[in-house]
Amino acid sequence: MTTQIQTLLLSILLLPTISSSMSIISPGSTLYASNTNQTWSSPNNTFSLGFIPLNPPTSPPTFLAAIVFSGGIPIWSAGTIPVDSAAYLQLHPTEGNLRLVNGSGHTVWNSSTTNLGVSSASLDDYGNLAVMRNGTFPVWSSFEHPIDTVVPWQQFSTSHVLRNGLYSFRLLSDGTVNLQWDDSTAYWSRGTSSSSNNRTLTSPTLELQSTGILSVLDPTLTSRGAIIAYSNDYNQGSDILRFLRLDGDGNLRMYGSARGSGVQTVIWVAVEDQCRVFGYCGNMGICSYSGKNPICRCPSQNFELVDPKDSRKGCKRKVETQDCPGNLTMLTMEHTLFLTFPPQSIFAVEGSEVFFVAISSCRMSCLISPTCDASTILSDGMGMCYYKKPGFISGYSNPALPSTSYFKVCSPAVPNASPSMRSDGWRMHSWAVALVVIGTVLGLIALEVSLWWWCCRSSPKFGGLSAKYALLEYASCAPVQFSYKELRHLTKGFEEKLGTGGIGAVYRGILADKTVVAVKRLNGIEEGERQFRMAVSTISCTHHLNLVRLIGFCCERSHRLLVYEFMQNRSLDNCLFQTDHPGRLLNWESRFKIALGTARGITYLHDECPDCIVHCDIKPENILLDENFSAKVSDFGLAKLKTLKDRTDYLAPEWLQENLPMTSKSDVYSYGMVLLEIVSGKRHMEVSAETNWKMLSGWAYEEFEKGNVMGIVDRRLAQTQAQQGVDVEQVMRAIQVSFWCIQEPPSQRPRMGEVVRMLEGITEIHRPPHPKGRPSTLC
């Protein structure tokens, strides 16, 4: 109520300014759905109120009474129920009520302003429709009663809500904005830093600026407020309306539309992965992608669509579990995740739906539990199994997801047919199959002969084939298998050593086509041929700008070698800690570029490659630099070939204390230590007078608490006058991110994707607590 009074008072204060930019609607004025050309327009015709046909069209046609931006883009409607062609919208001449009446005479919507002394209504050039008392005082306005859209100049407070079907968008009292399904499941949120600095907001409001900045405002925050999002066309072009809308698919998007164009373009989206919108495919529906488009399907042939004409309405079992003629079983779905959000919690005292169990237990425990319909295990090493109770289940399937899910069905479980085997009327005849097979075989033979001739034409000896680097294997990006004799020849008997790591030394080699490579000779894994070949297979499936590319390998008797692309500037530790080459000192721009590139490479390993790869040995020695000082992560995919003694310097504390399973959060910890080293130029294990004889992380956090952020930066940058190029904002982001990454409890560490967004400045960084959980030393 207080917020509404404040808004009304603000309207009165602004009235002298905006009165000239509003059109007056007199009592008795009426709009008819049968005449869509009739409208009430704002003075400069930017906005108009009238009837628009429902989109997509219906038969018979139905309409909404809506305010539209020039060109026909709707920003508000009088309710959400369509009306027929005999409907009308009228400012009642005696009641003072703005009401929408259907052809049957039923009032579908009204402004509830009866007996409030209404004298007129108005539509201004900002898109606000107001019902006025005495021609000056607004007693109702469309800005105070949003439907699914927010426009610039519209103050969106905690008392407001956007709705579209089962989806809603809210601003909470702590400054957090979130998207909810059925007013119960919050599947996306973005907040201010008020909770991290113990600041209590008094009256937060959400504001969308005309330039495309979405921010939370409050008297306790800075004048700029807490920025939630930027549009990708920030402040570009003129006469463009940028507006926020909650769409029917449950996603919140910011759109831009040029005046009069009628075209709307997405310029920001809250949930980038549409399949992660809870309930997008309905109950028991599984969301996946066909190209870039999300599609909905049922978990298996044990299910059927609720509405065959609309797959988004979900699925149902063909036979309910309580009616099974035989035994119950669990349908196994690889690379599938059942979306799980609070209140599901491992911290719930009673009724917890999350358990730490093995994969087999996640399946079997749900099977025998009468209160479990399905379960999901994330397969990230944490051993967290989520039970899905009878109710609403929302699924997501993607080949890149490491999760495995199980659904309780009547035996037998019948998986969905592969696309090529679906009975859609198309069948491949046997003669066509034979033709394709024969043609493929002949084509491969011709290709092999051509490649053989190309490789051997300049050499009379068949030994020319030893240059497998140029053969089909390399052309198809598959790793080339070298013989040990070949690699010994390419490295001149392993003459020039580039460096030594935990499980082997690296040597310089030159291939037949004069390409320089780095050959890693592994030690102590003679008995692990199967594991070694599996590691090679895993590494060869990765392709990212910030990962070192594997060219080939050797697995011959006791010899295990890997052939990588050569990095001209060696490893990060050579440039970061070597003091005998001051000319090689990395400036701040290069350091931040390396930090960001490394984070992107690890993010790919964790979340984007076909199988989640936990590195387990992230350190400066395993971050290589090319000729442009771009970072490339190396030695990934080798975790199972290493022993614990091979990787101790940068291990997360949970490894050393409890020897828990490998998780991506362990990599986050190691990255945080490396990031702090990049900023400071100091080894995290070394102590000196400069750090008051303390470990780097503890000393750095003390300086951070004192506000001496630049004191953490490598002193050599200042000594070489390079500090003039140090971006203080980037330094602050990097230091805070490093502290979040090295938090002792793994649950408090961010995922690497969040780390990238924080470093880029996309995500706001809350003030990090002490890495070891100690209270602040400052008042």
Side-chain angles (χ1 to χ4, degrees), residues 174-220:
D174 63 355
T176 300
V177 293
N178 69 21
L179 290 168
Q180 294 184 17
W181 174 85
D182 201 24
D183 293 333
S184 60
T185 302
Y187 54 90
W188 177 87
S189 64
R190 190 71 64 84
T192 68
S193 59
S194 59
S195 58
S196 63
N197 52 29
N198 299 319
R199 178 186 294 155
T200 302
L201 303 185
T202 57
S203 54
T205 58
L206 185 71
E207 179 186 73
L208 174 62
Q209 298 180 26
S210 59
T211 56
I213 297 178
L214 183 67
S215 56
V216 173
L217 305 179
D218 189 81
T220 64

Side-chain angles (χ1 to χ4, degrees), residues 184 265 335 503 545 549:
S184 60
T265 304
H335 307 295
I503 58 172
L545 182 66
R549 180 168 54 88

Side-chain angles (χ1 to χ4, degrees), residues 551-597:
I551 293 175
F553 70 100
C554 171
C555 184
E556 184 179 295
R557 296 188 295 276
S558 63
H559 303 297
R560 307 285 183 269
L561 298 97
L562 297 171
V563 182
Y564 292 104
E565 61 176 323
F566 179 76
M567 294 290 105
Q568 184 172 325
N569 284 307
R570 309 291 177 89
S571 57
L572 176 60
D573 62 305
N574 284 310
C575 297
L576 203 57
F577 306 122
Q578 297 293 339
T579 58
D580 51 346
H581 296 292
R584 288 173 59 85
L585 179 67
L586 291 171
N587 59 27
W588 174 253
E589 182 182 0
S590 296
R591 293 182 190 222
F592 191 75
K593 173 184 172 184
I594 291 168
L596 189 56

Side-chain angles (χ1 to χ4, degrees), residues 199-476:
R199 178 186 294 155
T200 302
L201 303 185
T202 57
S203 54
T205 58
L206 185 71
E207 179 186 73
L208 174 62
Q209 298 180 26
S210 59
T211 56
I213 297 178
L214 183 67
S215 56
V216 173
L217 305 179
D218 189 81
T220 64
L221 301 173
T222 63
S223 58
R224 193 181 183 188
I227 296 177
I228 300 297
Y230 287 94
S231 67
N232 60 27
D233 69 339
Y234 170 69
N235 208 22
Q236 294 178 5
S238 59
D239 220 1
I240 293 177
L241 176 70
R242 296 175 177 87
F243 58 94
L244 198 67
R245 186 172 67 205
L246 176 60
D247 289 323
D249 60 9
N251 218 332
L252 184 73
R253 295 179 177 89
M254 192 186 302
Y255 292 89
S257 179
R259 181 185 177 96
S261 69
V263 177
Q264 54 187 10
T265 304
V266 177
I267 52 179
W268 175 81
V269 60
V271 186
E272 295 183 1
D273 189 340
Q274 180 62 43
C275 280
R276 292 191 180 274
V277 172
F278 192 85
Y280 175 76
C281 286
N283 187 25
M284 301 187 192
I286 306 297
C287 182
S288 58
Y289 285 94
S290 176
K292 295 183 179 180
N293 300 316
I295 57 174
C296 298
R297 58 180 177 82
C298 292
S300 73
Q301 294 188 43
N302 300 83
F303 298 79
E304 61 185 359
L305 292 171
V306 172
D307 183 354
K309 296 180 180 179
D310 187 357
S311 61
R312 283 199 56 202
K313 290 186 177 179
C315 303
K316 60 182 180 180
R317 290 184 177 90
K318 293 179 179 178
V319 180
E320 294 298 328
T321 52
Q322 65 267 23
D323 301 327
C324 282
N327 295 328
L328 291 172
T329 187
M330 296 300 285
L331 168 72
T332 301
M333 294 180 290
E334 300 287 349
H335 307 295
T336 302
L337 171 72
F338 290 131
L339 301 183
T340 302
F341 300 98
Q344 286 184 314
S345 170
I346 60 175
F347 305 108
V349 178
E350 295 182 2
S352 177
E353 300 172 41
V354 185
F355 305 90
F356 289 98
V357 297
I359 293 178
S360 58
S361 299
C362 187
R363 176 180 178 274
M364 293 305 299
S365 298
C366 183
L367 178 62
I368 63 177
S369 172
T371 61
C372 181
D373 252 7
S375 60
T376 286
I377 192 159
L378 302 185
S379 302
D380 61 355
M382 293 292 287
M384 294 176 67
C385 172
Y386 291 81
Y387 280 14
K388 307 300 292 186
K389 296 180 178 179
F392 197 94
I393 299 176
S394 180
Y396 176 22
S397 178
N398 190 313
L401 287 175
S403 308
T404 301
S405 294
Y406 308 96
F407 222 127
K408 187 179 293 184
V409 296
C410 294
S411 183
V414 185
N416 286 322
S418 62
S420 61
M421 296 298 293
R422 290 175 185 162
S423 55
D424 53 4
W426 181 87
R427 293 290 186 270
M428 182 177 283
H429 297 288
S430 57
W431 62 267
V433 175
L435 184 63
V436 170
V437 171
I438 293 172
T440 302
V441 171
L442 292 176
L444 288 174
I445 292 174
L447 182 61
E448 287 282 348
V449 172
S450 300
L451 288 171
W452 179 86
W453 175 83
W454 183 81
C455 292
C456 298
R457 60 180 178 174
S458 59
S459 174
K461 298 182 180 180
F462 278 64
L465 286 174
S466 63
K468 295 186 182 71
Y469 171 75
L471 288 179
L472 181 60
E473 289 179 282
Y474 186 76
S476 62

Side-chain angles (χ1 to χ4, degrees), residues 48-63:
S48 60
L49 172 60
F51 283 93
I52 60 173
L54 203 66
N55 187 22
T58 59
S59 181
T62 52
F63 305 84

Side-chain angles (χ1 to χ4, degrees), residues 50-112:
F51 283 93
I52 60 173
L54 203 66
N55 187 22
T58 59
S59 181
T62 52
F63 305 84
L64 287 176
I67 299 174
V68 299
F69 175 63
S70 175
I73 306 296
I75 64 163
W76 179 86
S77 64
T80 58
I81 301 175
V83 294
D84 56 32
S85 58
Y88 63 89
L89 179 70
Q90 181 187 61
L91 180 60
H92 198 277
T94 57
E95 294 178 1
N97 215 13
L98 186 64
R99 60 177 187 165
L100 175 64
V101 181
N102 210 343
S104 62
H106 172 69
T107 299
V108 177
W109 172 91
N110 70 85
S111 60
S112 301

